[in-house]
């Protein structure tokens, strides 16, 4: 197992070559301050997902909850241990049901992404009826999403009907970003009338290219925000069969500008693959942010 882990690390190191003098490449667009500000509510929602269900259920989770003061909670769950916390509610300003999925810290996540014990596997038929069997995800991420899937679905259905909306926005950071993406696919399949949007932060690669293609073809909008030299978004490696869907928005290392990166696994200058060519040049401290000034995590009241 150690040998396998070393192989993975060696492959990661040789997979990229750093080029310090990068020219700005076409296809990358820099977001305006106003375009960056659009993400602020979602960043706080992703951060609030780290708070226990007994705080999110009455929206008493401190700064993260106060940042979206009009939110109306519908349900919450998880135990923050075996089952990641989650919550569902309605945002009257965004006119969308919000689903938040808790993530984890890098010390727990990195082993899951580099220990070579994980594999790509089908999504459960019972939860994803009719999904093409070539669509596969990381087994651990699939299991984490399945843990809360039925409870989340019931709460989302309740919210869509109570607030007469079709909009569902699923958010999460880190492992929570991976769960959010699978959760978005799940809700899109289960509720055909819904328009599903996903916003994630520091999200690892979740599935294979068939999964990434499915996400690009079916979800209303997907944005995964990657911060500077955070190494989580370059894991698991593409050479292991993993792929990112389109929609990377990268916070550049050199000037902290947010840029929209073209296509799946963008190799454009100023996007993650170029900024973090291998895990050794990555910086785990960038995983938690700041994302436009916001560090992710449950903050005491
Ligand atoms: C939220 O619920 C908890 C118990 O679950 C309670 O202690 C707390 O006072 C409540 N907070 C608000 C703002 O209602
Ligand atoms: C709230 O939930 C957390 C985690 O599930 C638990 O540790 C804590 O004891 C709970 N607090 C209350 C007041 O029930």
């Amino acid at each position: 197992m150690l040998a396998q882990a070393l192989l993975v690390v060696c492959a990661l190191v040789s997979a990229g070559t750093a080029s310090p003098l990068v020219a700005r490449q076409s296809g990358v667009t820099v977001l305006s301050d106003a375009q960056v500000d659009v993400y602020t509510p979602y960043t706080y929602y992703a951060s609030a997902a780290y708070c226990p269900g007994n705080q999110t259920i009455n929206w008493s989770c401190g700064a993260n909850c106060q940042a979206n003061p009009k939110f109306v909670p519908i349900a919450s769950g998880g135990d923050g241990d075996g089952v990641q916390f989650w919550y569902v509610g309605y945002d009257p300003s965004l006119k969308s049901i919000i689903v938040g999925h808790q993530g984890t810290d890098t010390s727990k996540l990195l082993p899951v992404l580099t220990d070579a014990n994980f594999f790509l596997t089908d999504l459960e038929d019972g939860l994803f009826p009719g999904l093409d069997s070539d669509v596969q995800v990381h087994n651990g991420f699939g299991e984490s999403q399945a843990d809360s899937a039925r409870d989340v679905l019931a709460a989302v259905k309740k919210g869509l009907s109570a607030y007469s909306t079709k909009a569902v926005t699923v958010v999460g950071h880190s492992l929570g970003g991976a769960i959010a993406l699978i959760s978005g696919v799940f809700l899109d399949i289960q509720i055909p009338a819904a328009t599903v949007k996903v916003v994630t932060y520091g999200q690892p690669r979740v599935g294979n290219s068939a999964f990434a293609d499915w996400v690009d073809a079916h979800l209303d909008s997907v944005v995964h925000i990657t911060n500077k030299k955070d190494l989580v978004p370059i894991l698991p490696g593409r050479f292991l069969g993993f792929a990112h869907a389109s929609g990377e928005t990268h916070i550049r290392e050199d000037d902290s500008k947010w840029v929209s990166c073209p296509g799946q696994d963008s190799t454009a200058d100023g996007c993650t693959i170029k900024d973090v060519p291998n895990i050794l040049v990555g910086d785990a401290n960038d995983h938690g942010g700041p994302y436009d000034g916001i560090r992710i995590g449950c903050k005491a009241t």
Side-chain angles (χ1 to χ4, degrees), residues 95-137:
K95 296 187 170 47
S96 177
I97 298 297
I98 304 289
V99 181
H101 288 285
Q102 182 198 12
T104 189
D105 51 47
T106 33
S107 66
K108 283 190 194 142
L109 183 59
L110 285 178
V112 177
L113 295 172
T114 55
D115 71 1
N117 282 332
F118 59 81
F119 49 89
L120 283 161
T121 187
D122 295 357
L123 285 157
E124 249 180 73
D125 253 2
L127 294 176
F128 299 81
L131 187 63
D132 205 334
S133 65
D134 61 2
V135 171
Q136 295 193 313
V137 299

Side-chain angles (χ1 to χ4, degrees), residues 48-63:
Y50 277 85
C51 299
N54 55 18
Q55 293 181 12
T56 48
I57 196 61
N58 59 8
W59 214 236
S60 63
C61 72

Side-chain angles (χ1 to χ4, degrees), residues 11-291:
L12 284 166
V13 171
S14 61
T17 45
S19 137
L21 296 168
V22 289
R24 297 284 176 240
Q25 189 167 304
S26 62
V28 169
T29 47
V30 178
L31 273 62
S32 68
D33 289 351
Q35 286 172 319
V36 171
D37 288 346
V38 166
Y39 291 97
T40 304
Y42 306 113
T43 313
Y44 282 114
Y45 279 131
S47 200
Y50 277 85
C51 299
N54 55 18
Q55 293 181 12
T56 48
I57 196 61
N58 59 8
W59 214 236
S60 63
C61 72
N64 291 314
C65 285
Q66 284 153 19
N68 286 307
K70 292 181 188 157
F71 182 76
V72 189
I74 295 169
S76 69
D79 58 16
D81 186 14
V83 180
Q84 300 307 105
F85 293 131
W86 57 270
Y87 67 83
V88 174
Y90 179 66
D91 185 312
S93 311
L94 299 167
K95 296 187 170 47
S96 177
I97 298 297
I98 304 289
V99 181
H101 288 285
Q102 182 198 12
T104 189
D105 51 47
T106 33
S107 66
K108 283 190 194 142
L109 183 59
L110 285 178
V112 177
L113 295 172
T114 55
D115 71 1
N117 282 332
F118 59 81
F119 49 89
L120 283 161
T121 187
D122 295 357
L123 285 157
E124 249 180 73
D125 253 2
L127 294 176
F128 299 81
L131 187 63
D132 205 334
S133 65
D134 61 2
V135 171
Q136 295 193 313
V137 299
H138 183 291
N139 61 308
F141 301 161
E143 284 162 21
S144 295
Q145 187 271 333
D147 284 340
S148 59
R150 287 178 177 86
D151 291 341
V152 167
L153 177 62
V156 169
K157 282 183 171 167
K158 193 174 160 190
L160 289 173
S161 134
Y163 297 98
S164 307
T165 178
K166 290 187 168 145
V168 180
T169 309
V170 193
V171 302
H173 164 259
S174 183
L175 167 63
I179 298 172
L181 188 56
I182 302 174
S183 184
V185 168
F186 167 69
L187 294 169
D188 189 81
I189 289 175
Q190 291 286 344
I191 315 173
T195 51
V196 178
K197 178 173 157 171
V198 176
V199 182
T200 69
Y201 301 79
Q203 178 214 300
R205 292 193 181 94
V206 172
N208 61 2
S209 342
F211 177 77
D213 290 344
W214 198 98
V215 165
D216 281 1
H218 294 87
L219 297 190
D220 203 45
S221 131
V222 175
V223 172
H224 66 106
I225 299 162
T226 57
N227 186 41
K228 299 189 171 176
K229 291 216 177 287
D230 181 8
L231 62 171
V232 170
I234 67 163
L235 297 170
R238 288 184 289 171
F239 65 95
L240 292 171
F242 284 81
H244 268 304
S246 301
E248 182 188 354
T249 294
H250 185 61
I251 305 174
R252 277 196 314 225
E253 168 71 11
D254 53 359
D255 60 4
S256 297
K257 293 272 190 208
W258 291 40
V259 300
S260 168
C261 303
Q264 298 178 346
D265 279 303
S266 181
T267 54
D269 291 330
C271 297
T272 279
I273 288 176
K274 280 282 167 64
D275 266 11
V276 196
N278 62 67
I279 57 171
L280 299 188
V281 302
D283 184 348
N285 288 324
D286 286 339
H287 187 52
Y291 298 90

